[in-house]
């Protein structure tokens, strides 16, 4: 599995910060830098906790709680973190498959957070999603041809053009033209994911949210699907937000990687930088759990104490302090600022320099 040279690299080189702090929300980054395809600012998604006969709201699950980043055309930004950290909700909220509670999402400079349904539908052509479970996301009664054609029907593409595009897409993702007549249950898991990819590409999107696209697949199939996604990115100039819990997978496909914990980003950097010099104790713990066959490069395993706290009652100060091996008094009192520690490398930790020093 080789990492693809991404189109986004050149753009990011012109914008070394790559990610303005939340305080610069709306500024769009350093002056003279390219406009991001997607700007996410202070994004929040809270789910009410209801109790009693009258469904009184007693609190909120803060699934996403102030996430900000930029995504540049042609790049892949990986989002990682343990299950329940908010990465999937972030992806879905950006596409407004779930409505945000707060914050702003700009797509090609346009605020889409409060866009009316009709205008949003037009924009959806350009913003697609590939789900983790292709079986669950494909209608079992529709043939493969109908599944790929459905978004084209919805957007009024004429029949002849539809048929041509379905055949072309099936072939491009590695399926045969006669597969168009088969039902989802007649395909293997890998083939079903190929079908989902064909469907997501039907409307020639620019942005694709890949939500754990290989987690449900055998390891032997995973690299085939990842290679396909990277080939398609080069061919069609796609931009990916790639959500996964497997850090090895994310490393192979991503230009930059963001690490989430309890609804917030805690670190973001170029993929090589993040894996070589993780600055947040949480990132260091995640990386230490990756099996490394080379004893020279093996990291000392960091076992985190306790469980992830409830997103309904996140800890005070730094949300990670209840599990952090480096936590000090200040961490319990004061929320760490989101700050650059090296060019293009952002972290939310009071003691990132010390953490980095200890890890090297
Ligand atoms: Fe750990 Fe403190 Fe850094 Fe939070 S701010 S990650 S508790 S050292």
């Amino acid at each position: 599995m080789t990492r693809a040279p991404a189109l986004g690299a050149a753009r990011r080189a012109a914008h070394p910060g790559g990610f303005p702090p939340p305080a610069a929300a709306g500024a769009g980054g350093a002056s003279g830098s390219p406009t991001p395809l997607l700007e996410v600012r202070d994004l929040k998604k809270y789910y009410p906790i209801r109790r009693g006969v009258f469904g009184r709201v007693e609190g909120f699950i803060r699934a996403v709680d102030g996430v900000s980043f930029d995504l540049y055309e042609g790049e892949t930004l990986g989002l990682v973190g343990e299950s329940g950290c908010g990465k999937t909700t972030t992806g879905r909220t950006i596409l407004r498959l779930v409505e945000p509670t707060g914050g702003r999402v700009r797509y090609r400079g346009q605020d889409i957070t409060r866009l009316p349904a009709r205008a949003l539908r037009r924009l959806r052509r350009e913003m697609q999603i590939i789900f983790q479970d292709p079986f669950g996301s494909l209608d079992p009664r529709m043939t493969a041809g109908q599944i790929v054609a459905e978004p084209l029907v919805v957007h009024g593409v004429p029949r002849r053009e539809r048929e041509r595009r379905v055949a072309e897409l099936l072939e491009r993702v590695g399926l045969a033209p006669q597969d168009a007549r088969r039902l989802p249950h007649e395909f293997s898991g890998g083939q079903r994911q190929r079908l989902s990819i064909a469907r997501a590409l039907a409307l020639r999107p620019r942005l694709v949210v890949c939500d754990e696209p290989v987690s449900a697949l055998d390891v032997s199939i995973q690299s085939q699907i990842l290679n396909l996604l990277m080939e398609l990115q080069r061919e069609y100039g796609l931009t990916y937000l790639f959500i996964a819990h497997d850090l090895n997978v994310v490393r192979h496909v991503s230009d930059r990687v963001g690490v989430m914990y309890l609804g917030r980003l805690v670190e973001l950097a170029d993929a090589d930088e993040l894996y070589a010099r993780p600055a947040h104790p949480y990132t260091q713990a995640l990386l230490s759990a990756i099996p490394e066959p080379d004893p020279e490069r093996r990291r000392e395993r960091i076992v985190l104490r306790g469980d992830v706290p409830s997103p309904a009652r996140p800890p005070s100060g730094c949300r990670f302090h209840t599990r952090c091996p480096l936590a000090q008094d200040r961490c319990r009192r004061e929320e760490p600022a989101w700050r650059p520690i090296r060019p293009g490398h952002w972290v939310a930790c009071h003691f990132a320099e010390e953490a980095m020093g200890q890890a090297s």
Side-chain angles (χ1 to χ4, degrees):
M1 194 158 52
T2 51
R3 187 165 155 207
L7 303 172
R11 287 177 188 270
R12 285 193 321 285
H15 181 49
F19 178 30
S31 64
S33 59
T35 305
L37 182 70
L38 190 76
E39 297 164 75
V40 179
R41 293 291 178 273
D42 201 22
L43 190 68
K44 294 188 174 99
K45 179 61 193 176
Y46 295 175
Y47 293 99
I49 304 168
R50 296 182 188 277
R51 295 259 156 73
V53 185
F54 299 108
R56 202 157 46 92
V57 175
E58 290 200 343
F60 293 92
I61 302 279
R62 297 156 186 256
V64 178
D65 200 10
V67 166
S68 303
F69 61 84
D70 289 339
L71 182 55
Y72 291 87
E73 192 127 34
E75 82 163 331
T76 298
L77 174 64
L79 266 192
V80 295
E82 290 164 293
S83 152
C85 69
K87 54 191 189 303
T88 287
T89 309
T90 299
R92 291 178 190 201
T93 310
I94 285 169
L95 298 184
R96 281 189 56 192
L97 297 177
V98 291
E99 289 297 327
T101 307
R104 202 163 25 144
V105 177
R106 281 182 194 274
Y107 174 76
R108 295 171 65 197
Q110 182 180 15
D111 186 349
I112 60 167
T113 335
R114 282 163 205 87
L115 213 57
R118 209 186 159 112
L120 185 65
R121 215 182 106 223
R122 276 201 300 274
L123 216 66
R124 282 255 163 80
R125 292 182 76 121
E126 300 188 17
M127 304 160 76
Q128 296 291 318
I129 185 165
I130 299 167
F131 293 101
Q132 172 183 356
D133 173 14
F135 204 49
S137 62
L138 301 175
D139 187 330
R141 296 158 304 179
M142 290 171 80
T143 65
Q146 289 169 329
I147 286 169
V148 178
E150 192 182 29
L152 300 169
V153 174
V154 170
H155 286 271
V157 176
R159 189 165 160 215
R160 198 171 282 257
E161 166 69 6
R162 244 169 27 220
E163 287 171 355
R164 191 189 60 75
R165 218 169 314 160
V166 169
E168 186 185 291
L169 280 161
L170 289 177
E171 193 187 345
R172 184 60 200 87
V173 299
L175 297 172
Q178 59 271 27
D179 286 333
R181 292 191 292 276
R182 295 166 69 195
L183 293 166
H185 75 266
E186 297 177 80
F187 291 98
S188 67
Q191 287 174 322
R192 278 198 292 270
Q193 198 54 297
R194 287 176 190 273
L195 190 53
S196 300
I197 293 169
R199 180 189 161 94
L201 297 188
L203 293 167
R204 300 194 176 127
R206 286 180 173 221
L207 169 68
V208 181
V209 173
C210 304
D211 184 7
E212 303 264 14
V214 296
S215 315
L217 304 176
D218 289 347
V219 176
S220 58
I221 309 295
Q222 286 188 357
S223 53
Q224 292 174 19
I225 297 297
L226 292 174
N227 285 337
L228 174 65
L229 286 170
M230 292 191 290
E231 282 166 27
L232 294 169
Q233 180 176 45
R234 280 197 297 273
E235 213 169 304
Y236 299 122
L238 299 170
T239 304
Y240 289 148
L241 180 64
F242 194 97
I243 297 163
H245 65 274
D246 184 329
L247 277 91
N248 264 333
V249 165
V250 169
R251 179 179 198 167
H252 280 292
V253 299
S254 303
D255 301 299
R256 290 186 300 148
V257 176
V259 180
M260 286 188 71
Y261 184 79
L262 264 189
R264 294 236 171 120
L265 270 171
V266 295
E267 187 162 9
L268 186 139
D270 270 22
D272 292 341
E273 161 82 4
L274 188 106
Y275 283 76
R277 281 177 287 274
H280 196 282
Y282 179 60
T283 311
Q284 292 172 355
L286 290 181
L287 292 179
S288 79
I290 298 178
E292 173 56 64
D294 180 355
E296 299 271 305
R297 296 170 62 193
R298 204 169 288 157
R299 300 170 199 261
E300 193 183 332
R301 179 81 199 263
I302 303 167
V303 180
L304 296 176
R305 57 182 191 236
D307 296 322
V308 182
S310 164
R313 284 181 304 282
S316 61
C318 172
R319 292 176 177 211
F320 188 54
H321 85 249
T322 55
R323 304 175 77 200
C324 180
L326 302 183
Q328 300 182 32
D329 263 0
R330 181 183 175 195
C331 307
R332 285 176 261 283
R333 284 184 275 106
E334 199 183 313
E335 192 175 329
W338 180 249
R339 63 192 175 96
I341 190 166
R342 287 163 58 90
H345 188 160
W346 293 76
V347 65
C349 170
H350 297 307
F351 304 107
E353 288 78 2
E354 289 88 327
M356 226 171 171
Q358 282 189 17
S360 59

